[in-house]
Amino acid sequence: MKLDCITTNPARMNGQLSIRNVRLTVRRVIELLALYPDREDLRREYPELEDEDIRQSLLYAAACLDDRVVELPVPYETAA
């Protein structure tokens, strides 16, 4: 797994995983992807963020998740 866009530096961003020398954490990139469903809007707001940064952030997030099954609550029924 190639994650050369993701860096960590204890003296920067409290040592959190960050994107290159941009002041964006991997966590923030994932959050931004949820907030900006249109990637063009995201690119306009954060022009320093490259497609490879996004790809590697998603790859890292996926690698951190395990394959366990999470039971979700049964949806409630509405009265007719």
Side-chain angles (χ1 to χ4, degrees):
M1 181 177 347
K2 183 180 174 189
L3 298 174
D4 57 348
C5 293
I6 298 175
T7 61
T8 184
N9 180 343
R12 188 172 195 156
M13 303 296 288
N14 295 323
Q16 296 180 54
L17 295 176
S18 300
I19 300 300
R20 297 174 284 111
N21 291 320
V22 179
R23 296 189 63 82
L24 284 172
T25 62
V26 171
R27 180 189 179 282
R28 181 69 176 146
V29 171
I30 300 300
E31 185 178 58
L32 289 171
L33 288 169
L35 293 172
Y36 290 87
D38 183 351
R39 289 252 178 113
E40 290 308 313
D41 290 341
L42 177 61
R43 284 188 184 92
R44 276 191 294 279
E45 193 70 29
Y46 295 89
E48 67 276 15
L49 195 58
E50 299 174 2
D51 286 339
E52 185 62 12
D53 301 330
I54 293 170
R55 189 190 75 74
Q56 288 188 29
S57 295
L58 288 170
L59 185 60
Y60 179 81
C64 289
L65 299 173
D66 54 32
D67 290 330
R68 66 188 167 126
V69 175
V70 177
E71 293 295 326
L72 298 176
V74 178
Y76 63 90
E77 294 182 25
T78 58

